[in-house]
Amino acid sequence: MSGSGTRAAAFGPVAGLLPADTTEDVRMRGCGVSTQVAVLPVGSFEQHGPYLPLATDTLVACAVAREIADAYPVHLLPPVTISCSHEHAAWPGTVSISSVTLHAVIRDIAASLRRSGVDALVVVNGHGGNYVLGNVVQESSARGERMALFPAAEDWEAARERAGVATSLLTDMHAGEIETSILLHAHPESLRPGYETSDFVADDRRHLLSLGMSAYTDSGVIGRPSLGAAEKGKELLASLADSFAAYFSLLTSGRDAEPGRD
């Protein structure tokens, strides 16, 4: 067997990413709930160093969304797998679409869901460069549509503390402790050797939007993947599922209540 064949066998496609629902499953889940909520994972297809797959952000977003779907009566959607990864263009394999296109895709999905009776959409974002998703949610909410973006930075911080992740969110920027931990838990078959020795820190990234990632890292890694552990990944996902309760309540209740207010 050739070398490429060996790699394909050892690090093949990840199974279980697509929901297996039938239309009757969705119909039954929607019975008896006042507001149906759909969950859309949004990932990316970009470099994550030499040891994590290009689909890492999609795998992370899907792991979070699956954890949510296991705990709440939501309609789990298949992932958006290519998004705004322009800062990673210096590395082979990275593919991007424009922010305008991603904006339109999310709006179209939300509109299609509303036509089929699903009134609320939660966008589970796995890629920090998808800044436009915040604009999509803001604009949709201003039109009176029910939409949320998850997780927020506060949700990640709570998850980091609960899981015992040592690296700060600033330092753990890309292919670091959090992403490595989640994949070690949810998709250990997708990792290749090397994360144990690939730590690299670059906390001052003020010109990232102008210069891209390659100005700050040769390997593509910014963070401490050597600290990754499957148990941390499990706790990260469990914490995020707990944090989602406030989002679910907000989207399925009246508009009068404000988070954190009695």
Side-chain angles (χ1 to χ4, degrees):
M1 183 179 289
S2 68
S4 60
T6 301
R7 287 195 298 273
F11 307 101
V14 178
L17 286 184
L18 299 181
D21 282 346
T22 67
T23 187
E24 289 304 313
D25 293 330
V26 178
R27 190 194 311 276
M28 292 301 295
R29 191 181 301 115
C31 290
V33 297
S34 59
T35 303
Q36 294 190 60
V37 178
V39 174
L40 176 67
V42 178
S44 71
F45 200 72
E46 65 186 37
Q47 71 83 21
H48 276 76
Y51 50 87
L52 295 182
L54 294 162
T56 291
D57 288 342
T58 299
L59 296 177
V60 169
C62 285
V64 174
R66 174 62 66 183
E67 196 83 7
I68 290 169
D70 287 344
Y72 303 87
V74 298
H75 177 27
L76 180 60
L77 299 173
V80 175
T81 58
I82 296 176
S83 60
C84 304
S85 300
H86 312 285
E87 69 273 29
H88 299 278
W91 283 272
T94 297
V95 182
S96 290
I97 58 177
S98 72
S99 61
V100 174
T101 299
L102 183 57
H103 191 296
V105 167
I106 303 303
R107 283 197 62 183
D108 283 356
I109 290 172
S112 178
L113 288 165
R114 288 193 299 274
R115 288 193 294 271
S116 66
V118 181
D119 296 319
L121 175 63
V122 178
V123 179
V124 176
N125 182 33
H127 171 49
N130 288 336
Y131 312 113
V132 71
L133 294 179
N135 299 116
V136 177
V137 172
Q138 284 181 323
E139 293 166 14
S140 297
S141 298
R143 289 191 298 268
E145 300 162 9
R146 297 197 175 199
M147 190 180 293
L149 182 61
F150 182 81
E154 293 85 354
D155 302 313
W156 278 118
E157 183 60 29
R160 186 187 73 81
E161 292 179 3
R162 171 167 161 178
V165 170
T167 315
S168 69
L169 294 181
L170 172 66
T171 299
D172 195 58
M173 189 260 187
H174 192 70
E177 185 177 0
I178 287 177
E179 290 183 319
T180 300
S181 293
I182 291 176
L183 262 62
L184 282 170
H185 167 65
H187 297 290
E189 74 284 357
S190 68
L191 278 82
R192 304 193 184 196
Y195 70 89
E196 306 91 342
T197 57
S198 295
D199 292 4
F200 183 77
V201 174
D203 283 351
D204 186 345
R205 304 182 296 270
R206 70 188 71 188
H207 302 300
L208 176 67
L209 297 180
S210 299
L211 300 176
M213 283 280 290
S214 60
Y216 296 96
T217 171
D218 293 331
S219 67
V221 177
I222 297 179
R224 296 189 177 96
S226 68
L227 301 178
E231 184 60 29
K232 293 179 183 178
K234 180 180 179 180
E235 288 300 313
L236 284 163
L237 294 176
S239 177
L240 291 174
D242 288 346
S243 293
F244 185 76
Y247 294 77
F248 187 77
S249 177
L250 179 67
L251 292 172
T252 57
S253 64
R255 289 291 193 172
D256 295 336
E258 293 183 38
R261 298 268 183 100
D262 292 330

